[in-house]
Amino acid sequence: MSTTDKNCGLIISSINSILNFSQNTFKYLWENSYFAQNIDNMIFATIIAVFVLSTFASSSLLGSIALITFGLTVIKTLIKPNEKLEMNLFEKFLLVYFLFVIVSLAGSTLFHLSLKGFTKTFTYMGFYFSLVQYYKNNLNKIPLTMEIIAILATIQGLIGFTQNFASVGEISTWQDVTRINEEEVMTRVYGTLQPFNPNLFGGYLVVTIPCIMGALFTALNKKNIQNLILYFVSLGITTVALLLSGCRGAYIGLLAIAVCALGFIAKFIWDNNLEKFKKLYISFIGTLTAIACSAAVLVTPLRARIISIFAMRSDSSTSFRFNVYQAAIQMAKDNWLLGIGVGNQNFREIYGLYMRTGFDALSCYCIYLETIVESGIFALIAFLGFLGFLITNAFRFALTTKNLQKLIIVTCSIISVIAVMVHGMVDTVFFRPQIQFVFWAVVSFISAELNPQNCDCD
């Protein structure tokens, strides 16, 4: 860890020296250019555009706008005085992960296909860099961004409701109906996310529901009753919509959200000796548990989907994943050092050499297995280091900060991260841009709040 920290420190120091020279050179431009003075507004506009367009636009358009955001950020960093590159420890591990991705690309036997996948990874990393550079100097925009994401998720939830009542048909085989009765078949909703897929829809709601919780608790902190009611209803809508997606991985992610959120709330209440809220909290837990159990037992299609989680090989979808896991593990064994290169096209070409007949796949259906297959064991270690220190630092901050609004932002953001990573154990919709962009947004919220110039923890 110390070697990683030292090497990253040298890289950052060198980059900041270059930035300082560039900023001194372009000082006149920064002070006298209308474009330069309004560049922050343009960056924020493109950030929001990415989130809005994610709900219906193509991946190529989203990538283009994200790269525009990155380009504007680079320009600002080069010309704005005192702008510099700073990294938390978890971001240094993220940098190491990205360096291993580059090495994996260089060693890929299908370089041209891997280059396409690398371009996507570069876009996500560039967008994350842009988010961090923007939000660390604009903390007041974080609650607004959370609210925008919450509204977009609510709209998707309402669309999901409409699709459920309209009984939309399947675009592909989304559930195994051979072992269940007709009344147990669920109408799986998928919103307007491209490409239409209920697992993508469920994953999107997993990463965005904590943002709704952030908006809700912010309204509670500000005693804004109107917004409090609005986001409470929004939370209910999106939770039900997630259940209607029929995405079993998203169900597990939702459980992670509930456990983390209720745990944080309980700790806050008991640590602050809020006696009048203890009984209310216990009653709420009981009511919530009763509602969840009743829905799981009484709603036939939902019950069938939940039971199918434990069907293992008896469920064709689960059995399919096991077959993919077996082939992917063998791929990892044969390419454990540097992987095969990033990208689903690259993966599909090489996976064909390992797959069982009739079980074609675009990914490993597990983000951790996907990481080691694509970029090798050291990339996986670096990625796990990134997650480990991110979660640890966020928890430490949440336990020491005196600022309730910061506590809300960091807590809800880390819940989103944990939920996505739990969901990612059984699916790889994490790599879709709709989820990636929101995921890196909540990570950037944590990074901005933990930045030494903003952190107020003891």
Side-chain angles (χ1 to χ4, degrees), residues 226-402:
Q226 183 177 354
N227 283 356
L228 179 63
I229 295 173
L230 174 65
Y231 290 119
F232 187 79
V233 172
S234 172
L235 184 61
I237 291 172
T238 49
T239 300
V240 175
L242 186 153
L243 297 175
L244 292 175
S245 74
C247 177
R248 295 169 296 178
Y251 291 177
I252 299 172
L254 180 62
L255 178 62
I257 292 173
V259 170
C260 291
L262 293 174
F264 271 114
I265 293 172
K267 182 167 181 57
F268 180 80
I269 291 174
W270 264 262
D271 284 354
N272 291 277
N273 294 316
L274 303 176
E275 295 296 334
K276 62 180 180 180
F277 288 103
K278 290 182 180 180
K279 290 184 178 180
L280 180 63
Y281 174 80
I282 294 172
S283 299
F284 176 75
I285 292 290
T287 303
L288 188 63
T289 303
I291 293 174
C293 292
S294 298
V297 172
L298 300 177
V299 182
T300 304
L302 179 60
R303 183 180 68 244
R305 288 301 289 172
I306 294 175
I307 292 175
S308 71
I309 295 175
F310 309 99
M312 308 304 282
R313 283 287 185 179
S314 296
D315 181 83
S316 63
S317 178
T318 305
S319 182
F320 172 82
R321 276 170 164 74
F322 284 148
N323 289 328
V324 175
Y325 293 155
Q326 289 174 353
I329 289 172
Q330 190 57 51
M331 291 173 66
K333 289 180 179 178
D334 292 345
N335 302 275
W336 65 273
L337 184 61
L338 296 177
I340 63 173
V342 293
N344 62 310
Q345 294 181 25
N346 185 53
F347 173 88
R348 190 168 189 177
E349 289 292 327
I350 298 179
Y351 172 78
L353 303 174
Y354 294 85
M355 76 174 187
R356 293 182 59 179
T357 303
F359 293 93
D360 193 13
L362 294 175
S363 65
C364 294
Y365 292 99
C366 173
I367 59 176
Y368 308 103
L369 186 54
E370 187 88 20
T371 300
I372 190 172
V373 166
E374 291 187 344
S375 305
I377 184 66
F378 297 112
L380 176 62
I381 293 172
F383 186 71
L384 292 176
F386 156 70
L387 290 176
F389 283 104
L390 171 66
I391 294 171
T392 300
N393 290 355
F395 270 90
R396 185 180 296 117
F397 177 87
L399 293 174
T400 56
T401 184
K402 304 298 183 182

Side-chain angles (χ1 to χ4, degrees), residues 89-368:
L89 181 57
F90 61 82
E91 290 172 322
K92 293 177 182 178
F93 274 91
L94 183 61
L95 176 60
V96 172
Y97 160 76
F98 184 63
L99 293 176
F100 277 117
V101 170
I102 295 175
V103 173
S104 176
L105 167 67
S108 176
T109 55
L110 297 174
F111 181 82
H112 65 292
L113 292 180
S114 186
L115 183 61
K116 294 180 180 179
F118 174 78
T119 301
K120 296 178 183 178
T121 303
F122 176 81
T123 301
Y124 297 143
M125 293 296 97
F127 188 68
Y128 173 68
F129 167 77
S130 303
L131 292 168
V132 172
Q133 290 297 109
Y134 178 79
Y135 285 117
K136 73 177 183 180
N137 297 319
N138 297 276
L139 292 181
N140 62 314
K141 290 295 196 300
I142 293 179
L144 174 60
T145 306
M146 272 192 161
E147 289 182 1
I148 291 172
I149 294 173
I151 292 170
L152 294 171
T154 304
I155 294 172
Q156 287 301 306
L158 291 171
I159 292 172
F161 266 98
T162 303
Q163 291 174 337
N164 179 68
F165 289 120
S167 298
V168 291
E170 295 183 354
I171 297 176
S172 61
T173 306
W174 286 340
Q175 58 188 317
D176 185 356
V177 299
T178 59
R179 297 177 181 273
I180 60 177
N181 298 323
E182 185 177 346
E183 67 272 11
E184 293 179 324
V185 177
M186 173 179 281
T187 299
R188 300 188 64 187
V189 303
Y190 46 81
T192 60
L193 307 178
Q194 300 288 340
F196 298 138
N197 186 312
N199 287 350
L200 172 59
F201 182 69
Y204 177 77
L205 293 179
V206 166
V207 74
T208 54
I209 281 177
C211 290
I212 299 175
M213 294 167 52
L216 187 153
F217 288 124
T218 295
L220 180 62
N221 183 36
K222 295 181 177 179
K223 297 181 175 58
N224 188 327
I225 304 301
Q226 183 177 354
N227 283 356
L228 179 63
I229 295 173
L230 174 65
Y231 290 119
F232 187 79
V233 172
S234 172
L235 184 61
I237 291 172
T238 49
T239 300
V240 175
L242 186 153
L243 297 175
L244 292 175
S245 74
C247 177
R248 295 169 296 178
Y251 291 177
I252 299 172
L254 180 62
L255 178 62
I257 292 173
V259 170
C260 291
L262 293 174
F264 271 114
I265 293 172
K267 182 167 181 57
F268 180 80
I269 291 174
W270 264 262
D271 284 354
N272 291 277
N273 294 316
L274 303 176
E275 295 296 334
K276 62 180 180 180
F277 288 103
K278 290 182 180 180
K279 290 184 178 180
L280 180 63
Y281 174 80
I282 294 172
S283 299
F284 176 75
I285 292 290
T287 303
L288 188 63
T289 303
I291 293 174
C293 292
S294 298
V297 172
L298 300 177
V299 182
T300 304
L302 179 60
R303 183 180 68 244
R305 288 301 289 172
I306 294 175
I307 292 175
S308 71
I309 295 175
F310 309 99
M312 308 304 282
R313 283 287 185 179
S314 296
D315 181 83
S316 63
S317 178
T318 305
S319 182
F320 172 82
R321 276 170 164 74
F322 284 148
N323 289 328
V324 175
Y325 293 155
Q326 289 174 353
I329 289 172
Q330 190 57 51
M331 291 173 66
K333 289 180 179 178
D334 292 345
N335 302 275
W336 65 273
L337 184 61
L338 296 177
I340 63 173
V342 293
N344 62 310
Q345 294 181 25
N346 185 53
F347 173 88
R348 190 168 189 177
E349 289 292 327
I350 298 179
Y351 172 78
L353 303 174
Y354 294 85
M355 76 174 187
R356 293 182 59 179
T357 303
F359 293 93
D360 193 13
L362 294 175
S363 65
C364 294
Y365 292 99
C366 173
I367 59 176
Y368 308 103

